[in-house]
Structures are given as structure tokens and as C-alpha cells.
Amino acid sequence: MSRVLVSDVLVIGAGPAGLAAASAARQRGASVTLLDASDQLGGQFWRHLPAVRPAASERVLHHGWATFVGLSQALEADSGCRIIGGAQVWAIETSAAGPAAVHVLVGEPDGVGRERLVFSGAAMILATGAHDRILPFPGWDLPGVFTGGGAQALAKGERLAVGRAVVVAGAGPFLLPVAASLARTGSAVLGVFEASRAPALLRGWLPRPWQLLPAAGKGVELAGYVAGHLRHRIPYRLGRMVVAAHGTDRVEAVTVASVGPDWAPVNGTERTLEVDAVCVSHGFTPRLELAIAAGCGLTAARFVAVDQAQHTSVTGVYAAGEITGVGGADLAMAEGAIAGHVAAGGLASDDQVRRAVRARRTFAGFARRIEAAHAIRAGWEQVLTADTIVCRCEEVSFGALCATAESTRAGSLRALKLSTRAGLGICQGRVCGRTVEELLATRVGDGGLRDQVSTDRRPIAALIRLGELAADHQGRGLSPEHPEPEPDPMKGTK
Amino acid sequence: MTNDVIIVGAGIIGAACARALASAGLAVTVIDRGTTAGGTSSACEGNLLVSDKGPGPELVLAQYAATLWPDAVAALGEQLGDGFPSVEFDPKGALVVATTTAGASRLLDFVATQCGAGVDARVIDARQALRLEPDLTPGIEAAVHYPQDAQVHPSIATQALMASARLHGTRLLENTPVLGPLFDRAGSLVGVTTPGGELRARRVLVAAGPWSGQVAGLLGVRLPVRPRRGELLVTTRMRHRILHKVYDGDYVGAVGSDDGGLQTSAVVESTASGTVLIGSSRQHVGFEARLRVGVLGEIAAKAMRLFPFLAGAAVMRSYGGFRPYMPDHLPVISDDPRMPGLWYATGHEGAGIGLSLATAEVIRDLMQGRATRIDAAPYSLARASLAPHLQVGRP
Amino acid sequence: MTARLLPFCADPVRPAPPTPITITVDGAAASGVAGQSLAGVILASGALGLRRTSASGRARGVLCGIGICYDCVVEVNGQRDVRACQRRAVDGDVITTQHDPLPGGDTG
């Protein structure tokens, strides 16, 4: 039978938000269980070399490394904090009466026969983070195309450079640390191509610049990247996009073009660069599936809705970090500290969290400006050709998506997902979902998609083997092995 | 527009009826509080079965439908063209397997009744079963092969039928719920009110699946349709290893039962996209759609009993739907004697996808005053087995 | 012109010397270091593609590297659908790349 474990506070996700939350909850004396799918703490932001490869100067690759070391070592040494790595939450089961049951598989990632655990408790903090959003372009399905996060994970997690001559492209300040990591891992970064143009960036980054003073750390961080770029001589170009990747079975070259303020490519500005890897990131998509499974309401911008105490619409469920709004590690830690403090019985108005509350205000403002400056603009769709794959898992092309929308005249995302298979493959719409929704919204008549279905909802949040799912039911005379001898072939031939 | 028929419900029953009526020249409007195939029609397996039905009116309707499906698929393909997604009609046949002696004896008794009713049911031995399905458990007590069974993609089939209906002139109004009835001075139902205004027709046909009871209530009559929840699992893609629809003998007992508690039985098949679809469960939990881990676990365990190799298969998604359940396990395909102008095509429980085409022809023939190909009396609202459930005030 | 592990002696992070490990990928040996993910070992061995798609047989590699996209799924010691970017490589692992044709399609 599954073991059921209870603690005062359950924290899901051990990145900056989750670590800060666990720490704050511990400071109030609450018992804490901290889960993460990885065998390491730190999430994506502090992805680092594994324990079998300790590094003397790990901090060179990270921001706030000392903060991470402090948080993680304190929690690891704290008997009041139970840390479970390799813990994959695969379902959250709500009930009309009482707290939700959090179903977890513990073991090797995508293993067979992992241990099943169930967690239940008074308070749960969701800190599941975000993943890169990558907009499709011709050739993006070639091996050698990585997301920025993927390049980072390989660079920081195993000191692997994804290519020797690489291009970084997309939108948002995340492109800068990606380029820096690549440069520090032995890649030649031929250029960083940011789709947003200078005027948009100035409007987004610089209005009321005095508000950024408390975020001086952030300014230092960005200044460091720019300085790093100068040192490594990496060109940083605005108003440019990778419009195609070329190659037979792998990337061999990319075409970069200038784009207008609406991100539409400008004819005649294309340049081709020989590369062996491309790292692309167009912002971040929050990982909402567990919050949705727990019943949490979302904002219009499709993040988890929280109040000043980081409390969601579900009693006892809190959310912190990227899932409440993309804002980086400093904001995540501020939110995490408040969530952990309140989940453990404190108030958002308490002195202990005053600094976190102030930090949250400052960094949330910064986050909004980043979003305004780097938000995806609709002209990007013009890079698509009929053959460009939109749903990678099911190999659904842009042409097929549009043709099916037109031929079926379907007005609902559910009907279109089922008839095109877009979003129904093994990644369950994590990569293509938002893109498919946006492409269909303008190609379905009568004002767009007419049902309330979204691709963010995944009741089964991770792959689970049938044998693992059946584990609690094996004992009830349902063994797959039949004990009887070979059946008489003469039986039942009437 | 003057409608001949307003159909409430854009699921497979509503779409099939719209197509049949519109191609007979009637002016049809379909309304749905949501979107086409937005309910049970997109949350099921796509069964076109005779194998799970004993002698009786449901089997008769299924056999009628089985004669219609192949031609309908061809006709839809012609009419809608290559650009329309395939309905994935697969006449794969079914294999029903018993792995216990008690189950085997129940299954063989059941098969004997079916053979007398014109079902092609072939009792085979374990060796033959393993030739048909090499990955099946060797622990087979009895096996029956039903070549007549088929599968279809239920959501695409619904959308295809609706597209066909629209090409024949059907008007579709989505996100258009019924608010109430419209009566003429004689007290006949002559339409419905919606947020967008009044819709008038000579007949209103309720084909709203498990929600037909609610719609009937809005119109002022009681229809005892209740939801019966079912859950399904979908695995990741794998090479084609399961060649038929395969289910255990327990399925037979589960379909016909009234037990309000959880019932599960294994149903396993491949789909055109390479995934394996695994069901199934039956539960009376109202319209409560929350995830139930225990139910999924039971389904998983029973599926592994049929195909041990599935232990390593990865489940990537689960979904569920609400079957429209009638207390006497037969659909209602008739007018409502209590309210002139009101008709029903609903209550098909777990067989609606397959039965849709036959239901549509019965409705078409009844509405036009023509002889139906089969005796329609067993599906009438006026049948004796329903009478106790139509009394006002009964739960 | 492929992915490359930064040699540890040239690494500003100053990691401890690596322990070499070897796995097989479709029967061919691939060398890496202890602690790496399977994806990292495969990439550093010179292969950018980890599987072929079902409908059109096109090569796919690592996209997101953080376990979201499931493009990098491989069979590990008989277990199918394992994300190579999430599973750490163990010396002696036997990897088989996946290519599952659709029912009724061309066999891989």
C-alpha cells in the first residue's frame, strides 16, 4: 500500500522559491517536507554539478551562490525538514472534505516500480517554477536546437557545451545568462539575437528608473552580463530573430533576420550563419498543472492567483515563484519566504517578513517591466511555413493545424486537439500548448476558441507506469500471473 | 428561419440525427450550451460493439447500426473530402477473455444466448486466442472472438457528422443553452428560449446525453437520465502490439448492472495514433469529475491481468466522461406523450457512439411518419419498464 | 562540430577530476563521466539525434534539457520512454534509441 506521510507544511519544488519557503516555515517551527523531482536542490536557477563532481569555484557560474549554499545546507542539516529528491508528483487528488492528497513517485526519473507515497497536510506550497517558451520556426525540430534552459542545464549541470559555434536567440533578459554560461563552458557564441527592439526595451526597462534602485542587485547582475559580453566579444543585437534553422539530420546553419516592432521579419535582411547549435528562449511558461489539479484559480494572464500572503484560492494552498508571475529568483525567494511564513501560521504583516514584502514589491515591478519590454508580438507567426512543425510530439504542421481548423469549422480547443492531435502527445502540450492556442485563436471564426479548455490542465502530471499505478491493487487477487496449468485446448470449442 | 426540428445537443446523437433529418430535407437547427462534441462524445472510447450485448432491443439497434457504419464512413469521406481528418473507422473485431473459471462459465452462457440472436460470436481456445493476440496473458479460461466489432474516433466522428449535417443545411448554434420552453395556445411545445432569443420549430428533439434530464426539466417534464462516470487511461505511443479490442468477461456483468458503487473491468485497445487506450469504470457520482486515483489503479491492475507486458507501459493522460444512464438500460428514441412537440434521442449509456446512426434513422422515420426498419416500441418513452420512473416526485 | 564536455583542467569552475564511464547506445560505446545525464553522454559522444519520429522518421535530439519536452526519450536497460536529460548515466547502461512507427505505417 502507498505510505501516507503528513507534515505541517509540504513544499513542492526546491528552486529559489521552494527553498525560501521551506526555510521560512522552519523558522516558525513547522515541520516541513520538501519535494523535488531532481536529486539535487536548487531548481533550474541553481542547477549545478552533481555531488560526484564537487567544484571549488561553482559560484563562478551562478548568481547568489552563497545564498543557495546557505539555504540548502541549513535545510539538509535540519532534522525538522524532510527532503525527498527524485520525487515526482504525478497527481493531486482533491476531496470535498479535507485537504488534498499529493501522490508522488520516488525513484529514478521515469523509472519502473518506483515507490508510491501520498502526502497530506494542513498547508501546501506550490513552487513548481517555469520552463522556456519556444516559438516554432522552420527547422526548429532539428537536433542541435535547444532551449536556453536546456543549454544552461547542460552547461551548469555537467559542463557540457551544446556546440562549438552557437547562436542564442529569442526574447528576454534570460538570453544574457544563457550566453554567459555557454561562453564559460567553451562555446563560441556568435551572437545574441533579441526580438524586441530598442524603443520597446527603453519603454519597458527605463520608465521611472529610480524604482529600480532597490533592485540594484538586478542592475549589477545585468551590468555584469553586458560587461561579460564585451569581454567575450559577443554581439548583442536587438530587433533580430532566428527565422530558420538548416541542416539534414542536425543544425548546420541558421538564418537571422531583422524584425519590425511587431516581430514580423523584414524581407531582405536575412543573413545566414554557420552554427552547430542554436539556443532559443521566448520567455517562460509557468508550470501550472499541479496548481490547477489542486483547484487553484488563475489570473487573466494565466498565472496562479495569490493574495498578499501568497495564499491561493484554495484554503491551505500557497504558491510562490514563477507560477505566480515570471520575475526571477529574487522575486521567487521573497514570495517563498512570505508563503512559508504564513503557511506555518504567521501573518504577511509580521516583522519577520517585512523585508521579503518590500523585496516582493520591488522585484514584481521589475518583472512587469521585463514582460512589457519582451512580450511576444504577433508578427512572429510570419516565419511559419505550411510545413513548419507546431506540435513536435505528434508532428502536426502549421499547415495541417490551419487546414483542420478550416475543414472541421470547429470552434473549441477540445475538438481541435482531438482532431489534429496537437497537444495530445507525450509532452501533453507543455511545449506547443500556448502556441497552438494562440495560433488557433485567430484562425477560428466567430471570435476565437469557444470552450474553456486550456492546455495547462493535466490531471496526470507526469508519466506513471501502469505497474506503478496498479501497485495498490495487486494484492486483491489481481496478479497478472495465472496460477493454473496450461488450459485444455479442447475447452470451449463449441 | 422556420425550423422543422430544433435539436438540443451537439454530441454524436444530435449530430447523427441532424444529418439524417437534414438530408431528408428537413430544416434543422442544433443548439448546444457548449461546443460540438463538447461532452461525452469526446470523453469515451469510440465503441461500435455487438459483443457486449445480449439478446434484446439494444442488440437489435446495434446490429442495425453495424449495417450503417461502413457506408456512412465512406459517404462522409466522399462528402467532406481528404482535408477532413479521418474518423479512424477500424473494423478490428473484439476478443473477450475470461481468466477465471467462474468468469468463463458466465461468458460462455452469455455467448450461447447471443448466437441465437444473430451475433457472430466464435468461441476459441487459448492457442487460437494467443494467435490473434500474441501478447495476451496465457492464463485464459475462455475466449470469444467477435469479428463484427469496430472502433471509431468518437470526437472526429461527431465532428464529421455535424459537418455533413451543416452541408445539408443544418444551422449550428454553439454556446446556446436552453432557458425554457415555448408553447402554443394548444399547449404544444413549439420551441425554446435561449439567451440569444426564441427559436421556434415544429419539434424539439432532446439529445443532450447525461444532461437530457436537466434539459427536460427546463422544458417542464421529468426524464430519468442519470450520469454514470467512466474513466480511461492513455499510454504513450508504442509499436502496434494489441490488434483487437480486448476485454475481460467481467465487462459483460458490469454493463448491465445497477450497482451504484465502483465497478471496473478491463478494456484494452490500440488507437490509430499508436497509443493504447485502457478502461473502464462505472460509477454513480453525479457529475463529479474529480480525479480518483483508486479507480485508475483498479483499471490499471485489471488491464495488466490481460496483457502483462503493460506493466512497463507509461500512462501519459487520463480522461473521463459521463454516460447517459437509463434505469432500464435502454435509450429513449421517441416522442414524449406528455408534451406534444417534444422528442428524445438519448439515454444510450455506454453505447451511444455505435448506436448513433441507427438512432438517427429511427428518429427520421418516426418524425416523417414512415415505417421504421426495426420495431421502435422498445425505445419509446411509453414503455412499461420506464413508467415507475416517470412519476412526478420519485427520486 | 558537436557538443563537447569542457576539459576539467581548463574549467574556471575547477571541478574535481572526472571518473570515466562507458555506456552503449544501439550497441556502440559512448564515453562520458560519472554524474552526467544520459543526454549529456550521448551528446558528447558526437550524436545529436536520440530518436526518430513516428510519422515521418525525422531525427530528434535534446530540446529543453529539463524534462519538459520528452523529445529525448530513450530505452534504458529495457525501460522505455526514459527522458535522457533526467536520468543520470551509470557505467554499463544499455541504451536503445526509440522509433515507433504508427499502426499500419512503415516499420522502422
Side-chain angles (χ1 to χ4, degrees):
Chain A
M1 293 293 286
S2 302
R3 283 182 9 199
V4 182
L5 300 167
V6 176
S7 55
D8 294 334
V9 178
L10 175 68
V11 180
I12 301 179
L19 290 170
S23 173
R26 282 301 299 135
Q27 266 157 47
R28 278 196 61 86
S31 63
V32 172
T33 298
L34 175 61
L35 303 179
D36 199 283
S38 168
D39 56 7
Q40 286 183 318
L41 299 176
Q44 300 312 322
F45 190 75
W46 284 315
R47 188 88 172 241
H48 54 279
L49 282 164
V52 299
R53 289 209 69 195
S57 300
E58 185 80 62
R59 63 184 149 67
V60 160
L61 285 183
H62 300 274
H63 277 282
W65 184 249
T67 305
F68 168 67
V69 171
L71 276 173
S72 54
Q73 286 184 352
L75 289 169
E76 279 163 341
D78 182 350
S79 58
C81 179
R82 170 171 54 200
I83 298 174
I84 307 184
Q88 180 70 69
V89 178
W90 64 274
I92 295 184
E93 201 176 17
T94 56
S95 79
V102 178
H103 291 266
V104 180
L105 290 160
V106 181
E108 305 185 290
D110 302 328
V112 171
R114 290 167 287 180
E115 183 187 11
R116 277 182 60 176
L117 297 179
V118 181
F119 292 89
S120 195
M124 166 166 48
I125 303 175
L126 296 166
T128 47
H131 60 82
D132 304 72
R133 173 94 188 263
I134 171 170
L135 297 174
F137 52 89
W140 75 303
D141 52 323
L142 283 168
V145 177
F146 298 83
T147 60
Q152 278 272 45
L154 290 163
K156 296 201 285 189
E158 42 198 291
R159 307 307 286 125
L160 179 85
V162 294
R164 299 198 186 187
V166 307
V167 147
V168 177
F174 183 54
L175 302 183
L176 299 170
V178 169
S181 296
L182 285 164
R184 282 200 201 95
T185 310
S187 290
V189 181
L190 305 184
V192 177
F193 300 103
E194 159 70 58
S196 297
R197 310 180 116 248
L201 282 175
L202 289 171
R203 264 201 309 280
W205 288 46
L206 297 182
R208 294 186 289 280
W210 57 89
Q211 281 184 345
L212 278 181
L213 277 176
K218 205 71 176 168
V220 166
E221 179 187 332
L222 289 168
Y225 287 129
V226 175
H229 277 60
L230 292 175
R231 184 164 64 245
H232 286 279
R233 278 178 240 228
I234 301 171
Y236 179 57
R237 300 278 180 260
L238 304 177
R240 303 276 220 284
M241 251 171 57
V242 165
V243 297
H246 311 282
T248 317
D249 270 349
R250 47 153 310 147
V251 170
E252 287 154 15
V254 290
T255 299
V256 179
S258 292
V259 298
D262 60 346
W263 288 25
V266 177
N267 277 336
T269 64
E270 297 86 0
R271 281 179 50 224
T272 301
L273 296 168
E274 277 184 27
V275 296
D276 51 26
V278 192
C279 309
V280 184
S281 170
H282 293 99
F284 291 97
T285 305
R287 302 184 63 175
L288 300 176
E289 62 226 0
L290 295 184
I292 293 172
C296 300
L298 303 181
T299 64
R302 291 168 77 182
F303 291 96
V304 183
V306 290
D307 64 13
Q308 288 304 296
Q310 304 295 137
H311 197 209
T312 69
S313 61
V314 178
T315 304
V317 179
Y318 300 81
E322 307 287 78
I323 57 171
T324 69
V326 174
D330 298 304
L331 179 58
M333 281 192 283
E335 292 190 350
I338 298 165
H341 179 79
V342 176
L347 295 172
S349 51
D350 288 342
D351 278 348
Q352 294 95 316
V353 288
R354 186 177 313 148
R355 247 178 54 189
V357 170
R358 229 182 10 247
R360 182 177 63 186
R361 191 166 43 240
T362 300
F363 290 113
F366 188 78
R368 277 193 290 279
R369 303 255 269 295
I370 297 292
E371 168 63 19
H374 297 276
I376 294 171
R377 297 180 199 282
W380 77 267
E381 295 179 10
Q382 292 180 37
V383 311
L384 298 173
T385 70
D387 291 332
T388 309
I389 292 292
V390 169
C391 167
R392 299 170 64 103
C393 298
E394 295 297 302
E395 303 172 77
V396 182
S397 69
F398 177 58
L401 190 73
C402 295
T404 303
E406 202 180 304
S407 68
T408 62
R409 297 169 68 190
S412 68
L413 184 63
R414 170 176 283 122
L416 284 162
K417 277 175 67 174
L418 288 166
S419 59
T420 63
R421 289 205 57 78
L424 290 185
I426 188 172
C427 98
Q428 289 292 289
R430 288 176 177 89
V431 173
C432 75
R434 295 278 174 101
T435 298
V436 166
E437 290 172 11
E438 284 163 20
L439 290 174
L440 288 174
T442 51
R443 289 167 178 82
V444 164
D446 293 335
L449 296 166
R450 296 192 271 286
D451 59 347
Q452 310 313 313
V453 168
S454 102
T455 53
D456 294 324
R457 185 178 170 274
R458 300 179 194 99
I460 302 283
L463 294 187
I464 178 169
R465 305 280 172 186
L466 214 66
E468 293 166 333
L469 188 51
D472 276 0
H473 302 267
Q474 294 288 50
R476 288 205 247 137
L478 294 173
S479 155
E481 293 306 311
H482 187 83
E484 310 228 359
E486 179 121 40
D488 180 349
M490 290 305 293
K491 248 188 197 169
T493 49
K494 291 198 271 284
Chain B
M1 178 186 172
T2 316
N3 299 292
D4 291 308
V5 188
I6 293 166
I7 301 179
V8 181
I12 200 158
I13 303 295
C17 288
R19 174 175 174 262
L21 293 168
S23 49
L26 276 67
V28 179
T29 293
V30 179
I31 66 173
D32 195 296
R33 68 174 185 174
T35 51
T36 303
T40 307
S41 299
S42 284
C44 58
E45 295 162 353
N47 291 332
L48 307 176
L49 307 185
V50 294
S51 55
D52 59 343
K53 300 172 177 66
E58 200 196 15
L59 176 62
V60 170
L61 197 61
Q63 288 167 318
Y64 181 6
T67 67
L68 300 175
W69 269 101
D71 287 341
V73 170
L76 288 169
E78 275 266 337
Q79 185 188 23
L80 302 175
D82 286 337
F84 202 94
S86 166
V87 303
E88 298 172 13
F89 174 73
D90 185 1
K92 58 171 77 170
L95 198 60
V96 183
V97 176
T99 54
T100 63
T101 41
S105 115
R106 267 199 314 271
L107 176 61
L108 294 173
D109 287 345
F110 183 66
V111 169
T113 69
Q114 291 177 308
C115 290
V119 174
D120 185 357
R122 307 172 187 186
V123 178
I124 58 179
D125 63 24
R127 214 183 54 240
Q128 292 169 307
L130 287 166
R131 263 212 301 278
L132 289 177
E133 287 288 348
D135 282 315
L136 195 59
T137 177
I140 300 162
E141 283 294 322
V144 188
H145 179 211
Y146 293 88
Q148 294 169 313
D149 281 357
Q151 188 195 19
V152 78
H153 190 303
S155 178
I156 299 177
T158 304
Q159 295 180 61
L161 291 166
M162 186 62 77
S164 171
R166 291 171 88 181
L167 286 173
H168 283 294
T170 297
R171 183 172 61 151
L172 172 66
L173 298 174
E174 292 175 323
N175 289 343
T176 302
V178 169
L179 295 180
L182 284 172
F183 295 109
D184 67 8
R185 260 177 252 136
S188 296
L189 186 67
V190 293
V192 295
T193 57
T194 75
E198 293 181 350
L199 292 171
R200 291 178 175 271
R202 294 195 287 120
R203 295 182 175 106
V204 175
L205 173 66
V206 176
W211 298 278
S212 292
Q214 291 173 8
V215 175
L218 287 169
L219 300 177
V221 288
R222 180 180 157 66
L223 181 73
V225 181
R226 286 172 59 206
R228 202 170 184 201
R229 177 107 180 125
E231 315 267 358
L232 292 159
L233 301 170
V234 186
T235 71
T236 56
R237 172 172 295 127
M238 64 181 79
R239 67 178 171 83
H240 195 192
R241 295 177 75 162
I242 298 173
L243 308 169
H244 304 76
K245 183 178 199 83
V246 182
Y247 59 92
D248 70 43
D250 290 346
Y251 186 73
V252 170
V255 171
S257 81
D258 292 315
D259 192 344
L262 170 68
Q263 298 210 321
T264 56
S265 67
V267 185
V268 184
E269 63 192 317
S270 302
T271 68
S273 61
T275 63
V276 173
L277 202 55
I278 298 171
S280 66
S281 64
R282 286 171 163 72
Q283 248 183 321
H284 285 299
V285 288
F287 283 104
E288 185 48 78
R290 65 177 86 232
L291 179 83
R292 295 172 178 85
V293 166
V295 174
L296 302 183
E298 262 193 51
I299 291 171
K302 292 193 177 180
M304 283 167 50
R305 201 167 150 202
L306 284 181
F307 288 98
F309 85 88
L310 285 175
V315 172
M316 66 179 182
R317 163 165 111 94
S318 121
Y319 66 97
F322 298 101
R323 303 174 184 83
Y325 162 89
M326 292 290 290
D328 59 355
H329 296 288
L330 281 177
V332 184
I333 309 172
S334 75
D335 61 350
D336 189 333
R338 304 166 297 181
M339 184 177 285
L342 178 58
W343 289 68
Y344 303 104
T346 191
H348 296 80
E349 198 164 350
I353 302 300
L355 299 178
S356 60
L357 298 184
T359 300
E361 289 204 350
V362 170
I363 283 287
R364 176 201 63 196
D365 293 340
L366 288 175
M367 284 189 177
Q368 294 190 306
R370 300 213 304 249
T372 52
R373 202 169 104 178
I374 57 174
D375 178 11
Y379 319 106
S380 169
L381 190 71
R383 63 201 190 231
S385 51
L386 265 190
H389 301 278
L390 299 181
Q391 315 270 352
V392 172
R394 245 188 108 95
Chain C
M1 282 221 309
T2 59
R4 198 174 68 121
L5 270 180
L6 188 62
F8 81 98
C9 38
D11 194 334
V13 159
R14 296 191 292 143
T19 307
I21 60 168
T22 309
I23 64 175
T24 62
V25 182
D26 292 337
S31 302
V33 311
Q36 279 195 275
S37 66
L38 287 169
V41 175
I42 295 171
L43 288 171
S45 75
L48 271 186
L50 270 66
R51 71 177 176 94
R52 296 219 154 249
T53 62
S54 295
S56 42
R58 290 169 60 85
R60 287 287 173 84
V62 175
L63 174 72
C64 82
I66 63 171
I68 295 292
C69 75
Y70 288 83
D71 243 4
C72 67
V73 288
V74 292
E75 184 179 309
V76 183
N77 305 329
Q79 298 174 7
R80 280 178 44 88
D81 296 332
V82 176
R83 287 165 291 173
C85 70
Q86 296 296 96
R87 181 74 75 89
R88 293 205 195 271
V90 171
D91 192 56
D93 275 342
V94 176
I95 310 302
T96 311
T97 59
Q98 297 187 179
H99 169 46
D100 302 304
L102 298 175
D106 298 332
T107 51

